[in-house]
Amino acid sequence: EAGVAQSPRYKIIEKRQSVAFWCNPISGHATLYWYQQILGQGPKLLIQFQNNGVVDDSQLPKDRFSAERLKGVDSTLKIQPAKLEDSAVYLCASSRGTSGNEQFFGPGTRLTVL
Amino acid sequence: QKEVEQDPGPLSVPEGAIVSLNCTYSNSAFQYFMWYRQYSRKGPELLMYTYSSGNKEDGRFTAQVDKSSKYISLFIRDSQPSDSATYLCAMKPDTGRRALTFGSGTRLQVQP
């Protein structure tokens, strides 16, 4: 079974630029998560989708971050405009059901904002 | 105060040692407790999860939950250099907002 795929793996941008990340979850997984992991910290949930609907986006900075999961499969996370404090690893995870007890993570996209 | 506290380490042990990794938490609503392993520049990998209090064993790994003390542990027996990684605890409630709350991770180094 193929794991969660993410691209790009690394991205360097200047502040105020925009950036987009892509995630393809494990086939058949209904729930998809985007996390932000700042260096030295644990992942923090940004947004959770169940199929193509948003379940939880309470921690998403909606003035600059947006995400979509069209057709209930792959997803994109966008930041516009980026700030220095957005430098982090952006992790995508998926789970088969809705409980979230067994989440499978992708390798992440490491974003550096200069 | 963070909801989940975890000593960042690094924790350095010789190969074959028993490793104890711990987290404390403040939210009594947490019912599910997970342990993830994260190698450098990789995503977290779920090792095991438990519900409520008690022990769970999987191979060389044992997870313990003491809800009365709000304290969870992961024990690794016969540690190997390949166990060198950052270990993250995570937890979530049974109802309401079910997002995982992670600790900041403990870095473990197993010396050959």
Side-chain angles (χ1 to χ4, degrees):
Chain A
E1 173 177 76
V4 176
Q6 291 189 247
S7 67
R9 291 296 313 277
Y10 305 92
K11 191 73 177 179
I12 300 174
I13 62 172
E14 302 206 340
K15 60 183 179 182
R16 292 188 290 274
Q17 286 187 324
S18 62
V19 64
F21 313 126
W22 174 82
C23 171
N24 185 246
I26 293 173
S27 177
H29 281 197
T31 309
L32 184 147
Y33 314 79
W34 282 102
Y35 289 86
Q36 179 192 59
Q37 186 174 24
I38 292 172
L39 186 65
Q41 297 182 21
K44 182 185 82 172
L45 180 71
L46 293 175
I47 189 167
Q48 176 183 344
F49 292 95
Q50 183 178 338
N51 296 310
N52 60 347
V54 175
V55 173
D56 185 345
D57 64 355
S58 58
Q59 300 276 68
L60 187 73
K62 298 181 185 64
D63 57 335
R64 298 184 301 106
F65 286 65
S66 64
E68 60 182 11
R69 190 185 184 197
L70 299 176
K71 300 180 183 178
V73 181
D74 52 358
S75 175
T76 55
L77 176 70
K78 296 179 181 177
I79 308 175
Q80 182 179 15
K83 293 185 175 181
L84 297 177
E85 58 262 34
D86 298 332
S87 294
V89 176
Y90 291 84
L91 294 161
C92 179
S94 68
S95 63
R96 185 173 299 279
T98 58
S99 70
N101 293 339
E102 294 183 271
Q103 296 184 27
F104 296 84
F105 283 80
T109 297
R110 184 175 298 270
L111 174 67
T112 302
V113 182
L114 302 175
Chain B
Q1 183 189 6
K2 294 180 182 177
E3 275 191 295
V4 180
E5 298 277 1
Q6 195 173 3
D7 189 321
L11 176 62
S12 184
V13 301
E15 183 175 354
I18 296 175
V19 175
S20 172
L21 303 164
N22 311 295
C23 288
T24 59
Y25 63 96
S26 57
N27 187 344
S28 57
F30 290 144
Q31 294 279 7
Y32 290 92
F33 305 91
M34 291 79 172
W35 285 97
Y36 283 84
R37 176 174 62 195
Q38 187 171 26
Y39 291 113
S40 180
R41 298 188 182 272
K42 301 286 186 183
E45 172 194 7
L46 179 66
L47 292 173
M48 56 203 310
Y49 76 90
T50 55
Y51 175 74
S52 194
S53 286
N55 295 358
K56 186 174 184 179
E57 187 174 321
D58 185 358
R60 296 186 295 114
F61 299 91
T62 300
Q64 284 187 356
V65 175
D66 182 350
K67 290 189 66 184
S68 62
S69 302
K70 296 189 177 67
Y71 188 88
I72 70 170
S73 301
L74 178 71
F75 297 95
I76 307 174
R77 290 185 299 281
D78 188 25
S79 57
Q80 303 295 311
S82 58
D83 294 328
S84 298
T86 295
Y87 289 79
L88 297 156
C89 64
M91 43 200 82
K92 72 181 190 68
D94 203 6
T95 59
R97 183 172 184 264
R98 299 186 184 185
L100 288 178
T101 300
F102 280 85
S104 56
T106 298
R107 191 154 62 93
L108 171 66
Q109 297 173 341
V110 181
Q111 307 293 342

